[in-house]
Amino acid sequence: MHHLRRQFSHVGRLLQQSKLTATSEIEMSHFNQLASTWWDVNGPQRILHKMNLLRMDFINDTIKSHLKLNKGVTDPEEQIYIPPFNVDNVLPKEIADRINGEQEIRRQQLWQQLKLDALDIGCGGGILSESLARLPVVNRVKGIDLSTEVLEVARQHKKLDPMVREKLTYELKAVEDLDPNTEQYDVVTMFEMLEHVNYPAEVLKAALRHVKPGGWIFISTINRDLISWFTTIFMGEHILKIVPLGTHTYDKYINEKELEKWVEDGHENSDLGDLRKQFEVAGSKGCVYLPCYGWKFTDNVEVGNYFMALKRRD
């Protein structure tokens, strides 16, 4: 409980002295030193490049699975049949396949009609930002970070791809410095970030203000357990050296249940200004890095790395 209070607490006047999204000077120096190798897929950031595949799968699959297939369709003849049970377990295969097929066709139609605005908080050198910008369903992407060195790398790298030049912008800015009245997004991402900031609860609160009604915030971070320490710090940094030494700080890891409870506590908060009341945990998924294979999703969200999606009510 002590860690929970320290990490997810109101920090009052201390926040006036530093940015919510600021890491320690040691960690900031560490990331600045990595700037020149950020886009080397075989270099110090190679594990992030590999993880990016799962990031995009998680975002795409989560949004697609929550599309309302009959939204705005008033004609019963045009509505897709959505049974309140798993058709694969109840109906003959031929009928189940037809129902699933019709749903998937409508889902793809709705997916292709999307025009999403995205905000990538703690974008680093732009690995995720560029991937988001390449999606046809994404209209524009803004990446923000507090490291001048890695942002310069991101700006230079985007020039190499004409597909993302006009859709992608970067700013040296903290999330709390964005105007919530004008900076509203369908998708907000904070991947591999919360385990590096000093006040994750305040960062999350600031991020929630920039999610449009019906929009999403996607998070990935690391559970605080022995296995996580063993895999990410002992093996990843010291033995296998697939992660640069000093990348992680064990005490800053956040358990999946802690993050989930933080959202739920907002529903019980009497403060009408607490945006957590408008968000629900729409899904979470564990993941693990396997040497010689890469990243793989797991069904255990309480061990190692995990992804979480929060959806704001319409």
Side-chain angles (χ1 to χ4, degrees):
M1 290 300 294
H2 170 72
H3 179 275
L4 188 62
R5 288 194 297 269
R6 184 182 69 81
Q7 289 277 36
F8 281 79
S9 63
H10 179 67
V11 294
R13 62 183 179 83
L14 292 179
L15 295 182
Q16 299 174 12
Q17 302 172 13
S18 63
K19 294 300 181 183
L20 304 178
T21 42
T23 64
S24 67
E25 291 185 9
I26 294 176
E27 285 184 295
M28 183 63 75
S29 174
H30 166 74
F31 288 117
N32 286 339
Q33 291 174 17
L34 293 174
S36 62
T37 59
W38 208 275
W39 281 94
D40 182 357
V41 296
N42 296 311
Q45 295 297 329
R46 62 187 180 277
I47 197 166
L48 274 185
H49 285 276
K50 293 178 182 295
M51 184 185 235
N52 200 51
L53 300 174
L54 261 68
R55 292 165 161 177
M56 296 304 298
D57 284 346
F58 183 71
I59 293 172
N60 291 342
D61 293 345
T62 301
I63 294 178
K64 283 182 180 179
S65 66
H66 285 79
L67 290 172
K68 298 177 180 178
L69 303 187
N70 290 319
K71 184 177 182 179
V73 181
T74 57
D75 186 352
E77 295 295 326
E78 297 296 324
Q79 292 183 350
I80 297 294
Y81 177 54
I82 306 176
F85 52 83
N86 189 329
V87 296
D88 295 316
N89 297 335
V90 178
L91 301 177
K93 185 177 186 306
E94 181 179 348
I95 298 177
D97 287 347
R98 186 169 69 180
I99 293 175
N100 289 331
E102 290 176 349
Q103 291 182 5
E104 185 58 27
I105 290 173
R106 175 66 62 82
R107 187 172 290 110
Q108 289 299 326
Q109 290 173 342
L110 293 175
W111 171 255
Q112 293 170 8
Q113 293 172 11
L114 295 177
K115 290 298 179 184
L116 305 173
D117 294 332
L119 172 67
D120 185 14
I121 302 172
C123 64
I127 296 173
L128 175 66
S129 298
E130 286 200 13
S131 294
L132 289 171
R134 290 190 186 96
L135 289 177
V137 299
V138 171
N139 182 51
R140 65 185 180 98
V141 180
K142 175 183 280 189
I144 61 173
D145 204 283
L146 292 178
S147 169
T148 54
E149 284 83 354
V150 294
L151 278 180
E152 183 57 29
V153 169
R155 291 188 179 106
Q156 293 301 319
H157 193 271
K158 82 165 186 175
K159 296 178 181 178
L160 303 177
D161 188 349
M163 183 181 294
V164 303
R165 286 179 194 166
E166 301 303 319
K167 295 174 65 175
L168 178 57
T169 59
Y170 293 108
E171 286 189 17
L172 181 68
K173 187 169 286 188
V175 62
E176 65 267 30
D177 292 333
L178 296 178
D179 185 350
N181 296 315
T182 59
E183 300 272 4
Q184 291 284 298
Y185 298 87
D186 303 287
V187 173
V188 174
T189 60
M190 291 194 300
F191 285 158
E192 290 72 62
M193 178 193 162
L194 286 182
E195 68 269 25
H196 297 295
V197 302
N198 295 320
Y199 309 112
E202 300 301 324
V203 173
L204 278 166
K205 286 181 181 178
L208 296 184
R209 292 197 289 267
H210 299 284
V211 181
K212 294 179 181 178
W216 296 88
I217 181 166
F218 292 95
I219 301 163
S220 72
T221 187
I222 310 172
N223 282 290
R224 192 177 62 263
D225 56 39
L226 181 60
I227 293 179
S228 293
W229 171 84
F230 181 78
T231 57
T232 62
I233 297 177
F234 180 71
M235 291 298 296
E237 296 186 18
H238 293 275
I239 304 302
L240 299 177
K241 302 185 186 302
I242 56 176
V243 180
L245 192 65
T247 297
H248 300 110
T249 303
Y250 175 76
D251 192 48
K252 289 185 175 181
Y253 289 0
I254 302 167
N255 292 334
E256 194 269 354
K257 291 301 181 185
E258 292 172 344
L259 189 51
E260 188 174 310
K261 187 176 186 303
W262 179 82
V263 177
E264 293 173 352
D265 286 347
H267 295 184
E268 302 172 3
N269 192 342
S270 60
D271 180 3
L272 296 178
D274 194 335
L275 267 181
R276 287 179 291 177
K277 295 176 183 293
Q278 300 182 28
F279 285 82
E280 301 287 348
V281 176
S284 58
K285 210 165 185 61
C287 61
V288 62
Y289 181 78
L290 302 176
C292 303
Y293 176 85
W295 287 95
K296 179 180 176 63
F297 284 123
T298 70
D299 294 326
N300 191 343
V301 297
E302 298 183 34
V303 175
N305 297 64
Y306 63 94
F307 296 93
M308 181 177 286
L310 308 180
K311 191 175 192 304
R312 185 173 182 176
R313 293 197 298 270
D314 293 326

